[in-house]
C-alpha cells in the first residue's frame, strides 16, 4: 500500500447481523469516513443498484481484476466472488479519509495479514442465532435453504471473533450504532500504536 493518512476500518458480521445498516449510518453521521463499494459476481437483489450497493460484474471480469492486481482482497462467499477494489481505497486513505470495508471473515483475515496492526477490526455480533434466523427470514432475500446455509456459515464466522479488535453486539440498533461510532472516534484520537 502506498503512502496513507486515513485509517482502515474492517467490519465483519454474519449475514443479517446488521453490519451494512450500521456502516451506512456511520458514513452518513461521521465526517471524513467513506465506505468502499465492493465488486461481486452475485446477482443484484431487488432494489440493489450497481455502483451503489455493489459493482455487479461477471466472473470473467472479476478474475481479470484479480490477475491485474486490482483487488486489495477477495473471497468466495456463498458461491460468488466478492472483493475490495484497491484503487479507490488507496486514493481515499491518501486523501485523509478513513475507509470502512464491510467484508467477510476470509477477506478480513487477508487484510489482517497485509496490514497487521495498521487496520482496525470490528465484529458485529448478532444477539443469538435464533435472532439471526428471524432477521434473515424478514429480509425475504433468501430461500429457506439459503437461510440455513447462512446460519451454518454464521456459526463458523463467530469463531473468528477472537481475531478482531472489537466486538459489538447488535441487540439494539441505536446502542450498537453508538458503540460503533465510539470505537471509530476513539481510534481517531489514538496517539500510541497505530498510525
Ligand atoms: P451479501 O450477498 O449478503 O450482500 O454478502 C455476503 C457476504 O459477502 C457478507 O458477509 C459480506 O460482508 C461479504 N462481502 C461483501 N463484500 C465483500 C468484499 O469486498 N470482500 C469480502 N471478502 N467479502 C465481502
Amino acid at each position: 500500500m502506498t503512502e496513507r493518512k486515513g485509517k482502515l476500518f474492517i467490519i465483519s458480521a454474519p449475514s443479517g447481523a446488521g453490519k451494512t445498516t450500521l456502516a451506512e449510518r456511520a458514513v452518513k453521521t461521521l465526517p471524513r469516513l467513506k465506505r468502499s463499494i465492493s465488486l461481486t459476481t452475485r446477482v443484484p437483489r431487488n432494489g440493489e443498484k450497481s455502483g451503489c450497493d455493489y459493482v455487479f460484474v461477471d466472473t470473467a471480469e472479476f478474475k481479470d481484476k484479480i490477475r491485474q492486481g486490482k483487488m486489495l482482497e477477495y473471497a468466495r462467499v456463498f458461491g460468488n466472488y466478492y472483493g475490495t477494489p484497491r484503487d479507490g481505497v488507496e486514493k481515499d486513505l491518501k486523501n485523509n479519509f478513513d475507509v470502512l470495508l464491510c467484508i467477510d471473515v476470509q477477506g478480513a483475515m487477508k487484510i489482517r495479514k497485509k496490514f497487521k496492526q495498521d487496520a482496525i477490526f470490528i465484529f458485529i455480533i448478532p444477539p443469538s442465532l435464533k435472532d439471526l434466523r428471524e432477521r434473515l427470514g424478514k429480509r425475504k432475500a433468501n430461500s429457506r435453504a439459503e437461510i440455513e446455509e447462512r446460519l451454518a456459515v454464521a456459526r463458523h464466522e463467530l469463531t473468528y471473533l477472537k481475531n478482531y479488535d472489537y466486538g459489538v453486539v447488535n441487540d439494539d440498533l441505536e446502542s450498537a450504532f453508538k458503540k460503533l461510532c465510539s470505537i471509530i472516534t476513539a481510534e481517531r484520537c489514538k496517539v500510541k500504536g497505530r498510525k
Side-chain angles (χ1 to χ4, degrees):
M1 167 98 21
T2 51
E3 178 211 349
R4 62 195 189 95
K5 295 182 189 155
K7 288 175 187 291
L8 188 59
F9 290 92
I10 313 300
I11 302 190
S12 301
S15 179
K19 69 176 172 304
T20 314
T21 310
L22 288 167
E24 273 168 9
R25 249 184 101 176
V27 168
K28 278 190 194 139
T29 309
L30 296 173
R32 229 174 25 80
L33 183 67
K34 283 195 181 182
R35 188 161 93 84
S36 163
I37 306 293
S38 297
L39 250 62
T40 183
T41 59
R42 125 157 126 57
V43 173
R45 292 187 190 127
N46 260 351
E48 282 184 333
K49 285 195 201 103
S50 200
C52 195
D53 302 282
Y54 286 101
V55 175
F56 297 96
V57 296
D58 61 24
T59 307
E61 188 176 344
F62 197 100
K63 288 187 172 172
D64 265 354
K65 303 253 187 223
I66 299 173
R67 268 192 295 272
Q68 292 162 9
K70 290 194 169 165
M71 306 308 291
L72 186 59
E73 64 73 34
Y74 68 92
R76 219 175 139 87
V77 191
F78 306 122
N80 292 301
Y81 284 104
Y82 293 80
T84 307
R86 183 188 295 277
D87 282 1
V89 175
E90 288 190 347
K91 193 170 136 237
D92 288 338
L93 290 175
K94 207 174 157 187
N95 289 332
N96 208 18
F97 281 95
D98 292 338
V99 180
L100 278 185
L101 306 186
C102 291
I103 62 177
D104 87 313
V105 295
Q106 304 171 70
M109 292 307 102
K110 287 182 191 164
I111 298 282
R112 181 61 114 184
K113 240 182 168 170
K114 277 189 197 163
F115 287 77
K116 308 271 185 309
Q117 300 305 311
D118 258 356
I120 300 107
F121 293 78
I122 305 166
F123 200 96
I124 309 295
I125 308 161
S128 68
L129 287 170
K130 183 174 163 276
D131 181 272
L132 194 60
R133 185 192 297 269
E134 281 170 18
R135 287 193 206 189
L136 287 169
K138 274 190 201 142
R139 201 157 80 168
K140 293 193 165 70
N142 304 106
S143 67
R144 199 179 270 196
E146 281 169 345
I147 290 176
E148 290 313 315
E149 186 195 5
R150 280 174 189 246
L151 285 171
V153 172
R155 271 187 211 100
H156 172 69
E157 285 175 329
L158 283 163
T159 66
Y160 281 78
L161 176 60
K162 58 182 180 295
N163 299 301
Y164 285 70
D165 300 310
Y166 298 94
V168 173
V169 178
N170 188 9
D171 47 0
D172 170 69
L173 191 67
E174 231 26 71
S175 94
F177 176 65
K178 279 190 190 141
K179 285 176 192 164
L180 177 62
C181 290
S182 304
I183 292 166
I184 296 172
T185 305
E187 285 290 336
R188 285 176 162 179
C189 296
K190 201 162 190 169
V191 177
K192 280 195 182 157
R194 299 191 182 96
K195 285 169 60 169

